[in-house]
Amino acid sequence: MNWIILIIAGLFEVGFATCLGKARESVGLSATWWFIGFLVCLSISMYLLIVATKTLPIGTAYAVWTGIGAVGTVLIGILFFHEPATFWRVFFLITLIASIIGLKVVSAH
């Protein structure tokens, strides 16, 4: 169950990074709403990370959490912010995904 909580926490990390990017692009009230979304996603992500680390090793949980956030944020950047999807970017994204899966496989929990 805590692995599922950790994955959800990682998805909220993607949410706060996305909101941060949108807030940076926005002005006025729109930027304020994106910043509020950033704070909400950040708070939820951190809370869920704390819950997950009650039974998962902190090193593994933190690495997986940041990995999910990194992969998700890069994908959001490519799909919605028109960032480049170069061969090397995709290659290293795949190696990051493989590392996240590897950490889960070798984890004792």
Side-chain angles (χ1 to χ4, degrees):
M1 183 65 178
N2 282 329
W3 280 104
I4 293 169
I5 291 170
L6 184 62
I7 290 168
I8 294 168
L11 295 175
F12 274 101
E13 184 186 5
V14 174
F16 78 68
T18 302
C19 288
L20 187 61
K22 292 299 282 182
R24 185 180 51 122
E25 292 179 347
S26 304
V27 293
L29 189 58
S30 178
T32 301
W33 283 113
W34 283 112
F35 183 69
I36 290 169
F38 163 78
L39 291 175
V40 169
C41 287
L42 176 67
S43 298
I44 293 170
S45 183
M46 291 295 166
Y47 172 75
L48 293 175
L49 179 61
I50 290 167
V51 170
T53 58
K54 289 185 179 185
T55 60
L56 299 175
I58 186 68
T60 300
Y62 184 75
V64 169
W65 177 75
T66 57
I68 291 168
V71 169
T73 303
V74 169
L75 291 175
I76 292 293
I78 290 169
L79 297 173
F80 296 104
F81 294 107
H82 309 292
E83 294 177 0
T86 64
F87 169 80
W88 288 111
R89 242 180 140 195
V90 173
F91 172 79
F92 287 115
L93 192 62
I94 291 168
T95 62
L96 183 55
I97 293 168
S99 297
I100 293 167
I101 292 168
L103 283 171
K104 165 62 174 110
V105 170
V106 301
S107 176
H109 294 276

